[in-house]
């Protein structure tokens, strides 16, 4: 039987990766963003939001929305994508750190979900306003 010696010190995650600088940092950041998008596209809610974005652009085109109204819609949708990504990150962390059911974990997930819901309401209100004013005006 082998004797167990002292365990080799484990590297911290920060030590395992080489810090990029300059243009290499820009490319690394782009790669990390692409990886985040690939993870987020696995979420059904995000795929629904993408469909809503495409449908909204089509509806805005049909009703003759102004460029500023298009811009407002795009900005609100991008904010929703951002909050959806943060919500998914919260869920991933809670599931990793606290896989058991806990009040704190549930609250964190519920708060992330509420943030997404608020942006859904903001998008719906803005889109409804634009479509109704264009159809009635």
């Amino acid at each position: 039987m082998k004797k167990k010696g002292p365990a080799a010190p484990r590297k911290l995650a920060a030590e395992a990766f080489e810090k990029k600088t300059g243009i290499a940092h820009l490319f690394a950041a782009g790669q990390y963003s692409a990886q985040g998008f690939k993870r987020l596209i696995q979420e059904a809610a995000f795929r629904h939001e993408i469909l809503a974005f495409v449908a909204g652009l089509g509806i805005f085109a049909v009703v003759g929305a102004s460029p500023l109204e298009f811009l407002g819609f795009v900005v609100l949708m991008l904010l929703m994508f951002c909050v959806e990504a943060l919500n998914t990150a919260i869920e991933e962390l809670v599931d990793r750190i606290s896989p058991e059911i806990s009040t704190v974990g549930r609250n964190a997930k519920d708060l992330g979900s509420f943030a997404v819901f608020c942006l859904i309401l903001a998008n719906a209100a803005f889109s409804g306003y634009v479509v109704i004013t264009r159809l009635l005006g």
Side-chain angles (χ1 to χ4, degrees):
M1 193 176 215
K2 282 187 176 180
K3 280 189 173 180
K4 291 185 178 179
R10 295 175 65 175
K11 279 189 173 182
L12 298 174
E15 296 170 345
F17 295 102
E18 181 183 328
K19 188 80 172 166
K20 309 265 190 223
T21 58
I23 194 78
H25 174 75
L26 182 65
F27 287 113
Q31 181 181 8
Y32 302 146
S33 295
Q35 290 169 347
F37 179 79
K38 283 176 17 182
R39 169 58 188 93
L40 194 57
I41 200 75
Q42 296 171 14
E43 294 291 318
F46 181 65
R47 293 192 305 270
H48 294 150
E49 292 161 1
I50 294 281
L51 289 173
F53 179 59
V54 172
L57 289 175
I59 291 168
F60 272 42
V62 167
V63 300
S66 72
L68 194 57
E69 290 166 335
F70 269 102
L71 178 62
F73 178 71
V74 168
V75 168
L76 280 172
M77 289 302 292
L78 288 173
L79 281 171
M80 187 159 57
F81 297 159
C82 292
V83 172
E84 186 67 54
L86 292 172
N87 182 44
T88 300
I90 290 167
E91 290 177 355
E92 293 257 339
L93 287 171
V94 167
D95 290 346
R96 172 74 170 109
I97 294 168
S98 178
E100 72 282 350
I101 302 296
S102 71
T103 302
V104 173
R106 188 191 72 232
N107 287 344
K109 288 182 169 189
D110 290 348
L111 289 166
S113 180
F114 179 69
V116 172
F117 178 71
C118 288
L119 270 169
I120 289 172
L121 289 180
N123 275 285
F126 179 75
S127 298
Y129 170 78
V130 169
V131 169
I132 289 170
T133 56
R134 291 292 170 169
L135 292 177
L136 295 179

